[in-house]
Amino acid sequence: MALLQERKLEIFSEYQKHPTDTGSSDVQVALLTERVNQLTTHLKLHPKDFSSRRSLLKIIGQRKRLLAYVRNQDRAHYKQLIQSLGVRG
């Protein structure tokens, strides 16, 4: 199940750097985190859904690479971002 448009707009408004920002690293990480949370709850209900498990692992890897990029750019901003998302905690 994809993210609902209303939820995407909430994430954009919370993490965007300017009013038309929809693709910055912060926004991408926030969207991926929301998707990870959805897939995690799905897999708790359907533990044998291996295609969703594979998708979850791919999304986690992509989020990990984006977070590494943010960490290399600005470590203080990285710490604030992972704290606000509740990642690595």
Side-chain angles (χ1 to χ4, degrees), residues 74-88:
D74 184 7
R75 192 167 293 268
H77 181 71
Y78 165 77
K79 289 183 181 197
Q80 184 269 332
L81 179 64
I82 62 171
Q83 184 181 21
S84 69
L85 289 171
V87 178
R88 300 181 186 200

Side-chain angles (χ1 to χ4, degrees), residues 25-64:
S25 300
D26 294 355
V27 173
Q28 289 181 50
V29 169
L31 288 172
L32 290 173
T33 300
E34 183 69 23
R35 188 73 178 118
V36 164
N37 293 338
Q38 279 186 351
L39 283 172
T40 301
T41 57
H42 171 79
L43 286 172
K44 286 179 183 175
L45 295 174
H46 308 283
K48 293 185 179 183
D49 187 355
F50 295 110
S51 63
S52 292
R53 185 176 308 280
R54 183 173 187 270
S55 297
L56 174 65
L57 292 175
K58 286 180 72 166
I59 291 171
I60 288 173
Q62 185 177 4
R63 183 180 70 176
K64 181 180 177 181

